Amino acid sequence: MTELTRRPRRLRITKSIRDLVSETRLSSKMLIYPIFVREGKNIIENIDAMPGQKRYSPDKLPEILERVAAKNIGGILLFGIPDKKDECASAAWDENGVIQNAMRVAKKYFPDLTIIGDVCMCEYTSHGHCGIIKNVNGENIIDNDSSLEFLARIALSQAQAGADIIAPSDMMDGRVAAIRSKLDENGFINTPILSYAVKYASSFYGPFREAAGSAPAFGDRKTYQMDFRNVREAVKEALLDIDEGADMLIVKPALAYLDVLKSVREKTFVPVAAYSVSGEYSMIKAAAMNGWLNEQNVVTESAFSIARAGADMIITYFALELADWIRNF
């Protein structure tokens, strides 16, 4: 046998064979579509910072959910935008709150659709932070421990309204255990927790904060969201949340944190989602609108990179389009 024949050959294969042996697969069932729901009636309004995305009042929610269901998308992630805010986010656990009404509407018209409730306080607090604020020596700080009961109340109210999965995104220490305990005490022992275990203090969230009206009134969220310079901390946070009762995990953002996603995937044995956040969406949209790149190709390639890094689920504002585009792969 000659040296030439012993070398591996680069075969020229057909597309069908290429598809057959591809290492990474995507399906619409892996996708989760985030939706903004605002208080009121007969409202469908554009989000300027996120072209193509809209805010819906609960009565208009079925219009977008019909498209989600038709594309066989795995689930929706709901964010509520209330009319009134206060220091303890009381609208977030109001049984007649915007998100609770939205969940009841979704379950009425689309009972088989998986509804994920984002549990946080920032959209509902007058100060825009994700927990309770207290003043210590003239400085406003987040009171981690007193925030836990409020977050548990929010989670319970969402479960009672029809949420299939509870997703705490606040990044308070101990909130998974507090929520698990509150759900179990009230009979929701089979309601899983999809924890934002790894959520960085990122500049990629800007468009979301406009969409949800959740920008902090003072300071930033670096005291409770993660330092983007750290990856070992991400694994630690993921393992802690699993110990507290998390059934699934989220890494957020996605594209700039694929190394983190891979590390979390390798060190844990629960389903892991990656959240392709608003800044990622708006950057691609802006470049595509200027003709600088092909939107379909870039979105599809990005989604495959997220799955390749280890994501079992992808939370993306491109879910409706992506469900069609990945059929070609």
Side-chain angles (χ1 to χ4, degrees), residues 228-305:
F228 58 73
R229 295 171 294 186
N230 297 347
V231 64
R232 292 191 298 271
E233 181 186 5
V235 175
K236 182 186 78 171
E237 292 287 350
L239 294 174
L240 284 171
D241 279 10
I242 292 171
D243 285 344
E244 289 184 18
D247 303 282
M248 300 169 275
L249 308 173
I250 297 175
V251 174
K252 178 182 181 182
L255 283 179
Y257 296 83
L258 295 181
D259 62 318
V260 178
L261 174 60
K262 183 176 177 61
S263 293
V264 171
R265 170 71 287 158
E266 290 175 344
K267 298 294 184 179
T268 63
F269 297 93
V270 299
V272 178
Y275 195 149
S276 184
V277 298
S278 59
E280 298 170 43
Y281 173 88
S282 295
M283 287 191 300
I284 293 174
K285 274 289 184 182
M289 291 167 66
N290 278 283
W292 296 336
L293 50 75
N294 182 298
E295 181 177 336
Q296 177 175 339
N297 291 350
V298 169
V299 171
T300 305
E301 182 179 340
S302 298
F304 271 98
S305 75

Side-chain angles (χ1 to χ4, degrees), residues 35-142:
I35 301 175
F36 299 95
V37 187
R38 61 156 295 177
E39 212 149 12
K41 291 185 177 180
N42 199 35
I43 297 171
I44 300 178
E45 60 187 16
N46 294 327
I47 300 172
D48 292 341
M50 300 177 67
Q53 301 303 305
K54 303 178 187 297
R55 303 180 193 91
Y56 301 85
S57 54
D59 60 307
K60 288 294 185 179
L61 194 56
E63 295 188 22
I64 186 63
L65 296 187
E66 187 172 2
R67 294 178 61 196
V68 171
K71 293 178 183 291
N72 212 27
I73 288 170
I76 57 171
L77 176 60
L78 295 180
F79 295 95
I81 307 167
D83 283 343
K84 296 180 180 179
K85 306 183 179 190
D86 59 31
E87 291 188 357
C88 60
S90 60
W93 69 84
D94 186 339
E95 65 176 342
N96 293 310
V98 59
I99 205 70
Q100 290 78 7
N101 287 334
M103 288 176 174
R104 285 190 285 268
V105 168
K107 274 301 173 189
K108 177 181 178 180
Y109 291 99
F110 299 91
D112 297 327
L113 184 61
T114 297
I115 300 172
I116 305 169
D118 179 86
V119 172
C120 197
M121 299 172 70
C122 60
E123 300 110 63
Y124 301 89
T125 53
S126 52
H127 47 72
H129 279 282
C130 303
I132 299 297
I133 297 291
K134 70 176 181 180
N135 190 278
V136 178
N137 298 325
E139 181 183 0
N140 288 322
I141 65 169
I142 299 294

Side-chain angles (χ1 to χ4, degrees), residues 153-205:
R153 288 185 201 176
I154 298 169
L156 177 60
S157 73
Q158 292 187 3
Q160 291 170 331
D164 298 294
I165 299 172
I166 297 298
S169 63
D170 54 281
M171 291 300 286
M172 299 296 117
D173 293 337
R175 91 275 203 208
V176 172
I179 289 170
R180 183 74 274 160
S181 178
K182 179 72 79 172
L183 292 175
D184 290 353
E185 289 170 4
N186 288 272
F188 293 96
I189 60 174
N190 293 319
T191 300
I193 295 176
L194 170 61
S195 172
Y196 287 72
V198 182
K199 182 178 180 181
Y200 284 90
S202 171
S203 297
F204 285 93
Y205 303 150

